[in-house]
Amino acid sequence: MPSSFASQTYTARAAGFANDLAVQLLKLMDRKKTNLSIAADVTSKAELLQLADLLGPYICVFKTHIDILDDYDSSVPEALTALAEKHDFLIFEDRKFADIGSTVKAQYQSGVYKIASWAHITNAHPIPGEGIVHGLKEVGLPLKRGLLLLAEMSSKGTLAQGKYSMDTLAMAARNRDFVFGFIGQRRLPLDEPEKEDFLYLTPGVSMAQSGDSLGQQYRSPEQVVLESGCDVIIVGRAIYGAADPVAEAKKYQEAGWNAYLQRTRRA
Ligand code: 5BU
């Protein structure tokens, strides 16, 4: 580390992506000077929309778990979409699809949440095999959406490691029109030197804690961006759980951005 791609600016890397949404995200990050994503794991729609409005100016991606809302209704995606336009961020529903292609297709398109209709980005476990990507792609590609595969997880004892993670990369490389990156803990090059670029979005980030009581493991923005070559830091409780979430978001934005500047300058 850093690989040849990780040492380039986000904007310079945009030309190497086949998925439109990845191009949009890379340019957005440089334009807004942020590689921060907030994991807004709150349970009321008022709190969720308030976080999106308050923190919108400092983030590139707003990550949701829409199914934890106690009072979800169809006004939520509409309001979130308006805030995404107002503040220039993308919406990522962290749905972690994990079934056969035919089932995930219905789960993505239909049901209460109709995720494909509003989430720019979603993600999937590669565990069922490549049919999961093909199923999601049939719904998502016509809507110009993008997919991330879970190559690794931040939690203690995760089974997503080693060959599993490398096979995940190969699956993504065969579907570059739709899959533009990973949820992962470090950049995992398929080839040395890397032939194809992917984005790495990384949860498990805190400057204050090393973990929680349920297996979460945290690292700092510097460890994630500078040492591990990841592109977007995903921060949840460390920001929305703070007394002043805006002040905290600014701190994480600055730390993530400085790590990116150091990474691209020291090449
Ligand atoms: P936290 O409050 O910063 O610990 O929240 C982390 C978020 O990232 C939370 O929404 C998780 O569902 C999500 N997450 C994670 O923590 N680790 C992973 O490997 C993946 C997602 Br994938």
Side-chain angles (χ1 to χ4, degrees), residues 40 45 48-53 62-66 69 72 74-87 89-93 118-120:
K45 59 182 179 187
L48 185 79
L49 297 176
Q50 192 190 21
L51 277 178
D53 204 13
F62 189 78
K63 188 177 87 63
T64 56
H65 280 301
I66 205 71
L69 287 181
Y72 176 85
S74 60
S75 71
V76 175
E78 223 170 283
L80 261 186
T81 302
L83 289 168
E85 279 163 22
K86 175 178 172 192
H87 295 297
F89 61 73
L90 297 178
I91 306 169
F92 167 22
E93 166 58 19
W118 53 270
H120 302 103

Side-chain angles (χ1 to χ4, degrees), residues 1-6 166 169 186-196 200:
M1 241 306 308
S3 72
S4 56
F5 290 121
M166 296 314 287
L169 255 74
R186 67 212 153 91
R187 211 177 159 84
L188 295 164
L190 247 193
D191 312 288
E192 236 5 301
E194 284 177 281
K195 290 199 198 93
E196 291 178 314
Y200 286 73

Side-chain angles (χ1 to χ4, degrees), residues 39 41 63 65 94 96 150 152-154 183 203-205 216 218 234-237 240:
D41 294 343
K63 188 177 87 63
H65 280 301
D94 188 1
K96 301 188 181 73
L150 283 98
E152 293 182 327
M153 292 192 71
S154 60
I183 299 292
V205 178
Q216 176 66 297
Y218 290 121
I234 300 176
V235 185
R237 286 164 284 182
Y240 70 78

Side-chain angles (χ1 to χ4, degrees), residues 6-44:
S7 60
Q8 295 172 19
T9 65
Y10 296 132
T11 307
R13 288 165 60 189
F17 281 79
N19 178 271
D20 288 346
L21 201 75
V23 173
Q24 215 178 307
L25 176 57
L26 283 158
K27 291 182 177 169
L28 186 167
M29 287 197 276
D30 271 342
R31 185 168 66 240
K32 264 181 99 171
K33 297 196 186 330
T34 179
N35 52 17
L36 172 64
S37 168
I38 172 83
D41 294 343
V42 291
T43 54
S44 82

Side-chain angles (χ1 to χ4, degrees), residues 195-217:
K195 290 199 198 93
E196 291 178 314
D197 194 6
F198 288 102
L199 272 168
Y200 286 73
L201 284 72
T202 304
V205 178
S206 170
M207 297 197 268
Q209 314 251 317
S210 62
D212 70 8
S213 60
L214 297 171
Q216 176 66 297
Q217 305 177 113

